[in-house]
Each structure stands twice: as structure tokens, then as C-alpha cells.
């Protein structure tokens, strides 16, 4: 089955947005995104990176410097509409499974992404919860659908800016009689200030050698207590 993995360049971690004209992106932000993309190299899927509607694709490709990815300009008045249109785009291109991921997950193993894609069958979907402060599922790091199971209401009827996104979206999908696969919880890097947590949890793992993790550790050491 033809599969697609989708990332939005600046969601949730801003990479190229919020830059002044001529300003270079933060090296740590770029490293986090590059390592995330490289981690997807062994996944049996085409990787799409969606840019802002007016962003220059060739400039973005040169900055990312990662081979094998597909770049596309997102379409829509806001992020929710753009993500909805991203699903529509890949399904219209003949992909049968599609997984939307956060853009800064360098220590999420590729096999976990592959497992999420493999779980998508007829009228199936998967949700990856981000634990909240109390440890309960709150936001999302992953959302996937098969072609038959996709419903635009998932991105129309749920406000992703409010708390408890996971619970509200899971309830909606169950109401629409979808089979919901819950992925293992994971916390992506949502801000550069939180990168120290990434360095700490990767300290005794193979991910400690990643450029983004090393850079996050160096910044954490250099920051005043």
C-alpha cells in the first residue's frame, strides 16, 4: 500500500517562520528538523514537507539539505485548513495511507513510525498522544488515516488550540465508527527552551550521537542554572 508521511515545516517548532528578512534559522531548530527527516529514511513511505503558502521551495530545499523528501506549499487560510488539505492532496495522488507528524522528533525510532503506518487499514486511524503535565494524554504528535477512514471532520470539528485534544478527537472518531489505534505516548520538542529535556532523555541512548541532541546538550550546559 502506497503511504505518505507529512510534516509541516514550522509546526509545532518554528523553523523558518518568525524570521526577519535575511535572518538565518536557529541551528538547533534546523538540526532537530533534519534529524527527524533523516530518521524517516527507512520508513516505507514518501515524506512530504509542507511549507508556508508563499515560501520558496528551492530555498527551503537548500536549507534542509535532506535528500529524498518532497516539498509542497500548503494551501489554506490557517493551519487546520492546510493540514486538512494536505491529507486531501496525498490521497488525491493515490496514496492509501497518510500520517501527519510533528516536525521535531529526532529520537522517535523509524520503526515506531512504520508500525503506525502498518496499523492503518480499512476505516482505521491512529493517534499519537503527547502527555500533559498530569501524565494524561493531551495534545497530539501523530495523526494517521487510511483512505477509506479519513474524515475531514477530524480537522474541522476539533479545536487543536484547546486542551485535551487527544480525548476530544478520539471521541469524535469513535462516533464516526472508526477503529482508533492509540500509539505510544511521546513528547516532541515544541520550543527550543525545551530541548534540554530531549538531551536528558537521550543521554544513555544511541540518539545521544545525533547532531540535534548534542547541540541541545551543549546549550543546556551553557545556560545559567
Amino acid at each position: 500500500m502506497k503511504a505518505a508521511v507529512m510534516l509541516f515545516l514550522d509546526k509545532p517548532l518554528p523553523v523558518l517562520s518568525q524570521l526577519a528578512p535575511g535572518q538565518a534559522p536557529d541551528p538547533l531548530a534546523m538540526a532537530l528538523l533534519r534529524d527527524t527527516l533523516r530518521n524517516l529514511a527507512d520508513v516505507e513511505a514518501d515524506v512530504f514537507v509542507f511549507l508556508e503558502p508563499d515560501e520558496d521551495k528551492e530555498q527551503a530545499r537548500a536549507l534542509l539539505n535532506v535528500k529524498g523528501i518532497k516539498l509542497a506549499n500548503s494551501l489554506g487560510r490557517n493551519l487546520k485548513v492546510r493540514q486538512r488539505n494536505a491529507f486531501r492532496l496525498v490521497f488525491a495522488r493515490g496514496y492509501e495511507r497518510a500520517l501527519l507528524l510533528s516536525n521535531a522528533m529526532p529520537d522517535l525510532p523509524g520503526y515506531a513510525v512504520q508500525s503506525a503506518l502498518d496499523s492503518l487499514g480499512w476505516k482505521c486511524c491512529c493517534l499519537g498522544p503527547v502527555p500533559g503535565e498530569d501524565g494524561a494524554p493531551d495534545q497530539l504528535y501523530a495523526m494517521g488515516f487510511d483512505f477509506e477512514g479519513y474524515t475531514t471532520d477530524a480537522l474541522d470539528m476539533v479545536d487543536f488550540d484547546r486542551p485535551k485534544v487527544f480525548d476530544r478527537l478520539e471521541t469524535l472518531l469513535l462516533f464516526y465508527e472508526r477503529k482508533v489505534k492509540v500509539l505510544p505516548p511521546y513528547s516532541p520538542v515544541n520550543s527550543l527552551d525545551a530541548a534540554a529535556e530531549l538531551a536528558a532523555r537521550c543521554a544513555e541512548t544511541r540518539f545521544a550521537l545525533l547532531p540535534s541532541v548534542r547541540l541541545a546538550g551543549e546549550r543546556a550546559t551553557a545556560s545559567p542554572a
Side-chain angles (χ1 to χ4, degrees):
M1 295 176 68
K2 194 175 178 183
V5 174
M6 305 178 296
L7 296 89
F8 276 68
L9 187 69
D10 293 303
K11 179 64 179 177
L13 179 70
V15 180
L16 296 185
S17 66
Q18 304 176 11
L19 296 179
Q23 181 183 4
D26 187 285
L28 178 54
M30 288 300 302
L32 288 163
L33 178 59
R34 286 173 180 153
D35 285 345
T36 300
L37 291 170
R38 294 186 184 113
N39 211 22
L40 297 172
D42 294 330
V43 176
E44 296 178 6
D46 289 336
V47 178
F48 287 79
V49 175
F50 285 89
L51 313 174
E52 292 295 304
D54 58 351
E55 195 159 356
D56 186 290
K57 286 196 287 188
E58 294 307 315
Q59 182 185 38
R61 190 181 300 278
L63 284 169
L64 290 175
N65 192 29
V66 177
K67 296 181 179 180
I69 63 173
K70 299 178 183 295
L71 293 180
N73 291 100
S74 57
L75 300 174
R77 65 184 182 277
N78 56 42
L79 180 64
K80 182 186 291 189
V81 175
R82 292 171 189 172
Q83 290 178 336
R84 182 187 67 196
N85 288 338
F87 275 106
R88 286 176 169 172
L89 172 67
V90 297
F91 287 139
R93 291 189 176 184
Y95 291 90
E96 298 168 280
R97 298 173 295 174
L99 182 67
L100 177 66
L101 295 177
S102 294
N103 69 344
M105 306 190 304
D107 62 331
L108 183 70
Y111 67 78
V113 178
Q114 186 67 58
S115 178
L117 284 169
D118 292 343
S119 72
L120 298 174
W122 186 76
K123 288 197 174 182
C124 288
C125 57
C126 64
L127 299 176
V130 176
E133 293 182 0
D134 59 357
D138 188 5
Q139 300 295 314
L140 296 173
Y141 72 86
M143 175 171 52
F145 295 92
D146 82 309
F147 174 75
E148 294 290 340
Y150 177 60
T151 169
T152 58
D153 284 352
L155 285 158
D156 287 340
M157 298 181 65
V158 174
D159 186 350
F160 284 71
D161 293 324
R162 292 176 53 200
K164 302 299 181 183
V165 169
F166 174 83
D167 288 342
R168 289 183 286 113
L169 184 55
E170 182 184 34
T171 299
L172 174 70
L173 292 170
L174 291 172
F175 175 79
Y176 278 90
E177 298 183 344
R178 298 301 190 260
K179 302 172 185 176
V180 181
K181 163 78 172 181
V182 179
L183 306 178
Y186 175 83
S187 296
V189 180
N190 291 325
S191 72
L192 296 182
D193 292 337
E197 299 173 11
L198 172 71
R201 75 186 184 210
C202 291
E204 302 298 327
T205 73
R206 61 187 174 91
F207 296 107
L209 300 176
L210 290 175
S212 60
V213 177
R214 294 205 312 268
L215 184 54
E218 291 170 3
R219 289 201 183 180
T221 302
S223 298

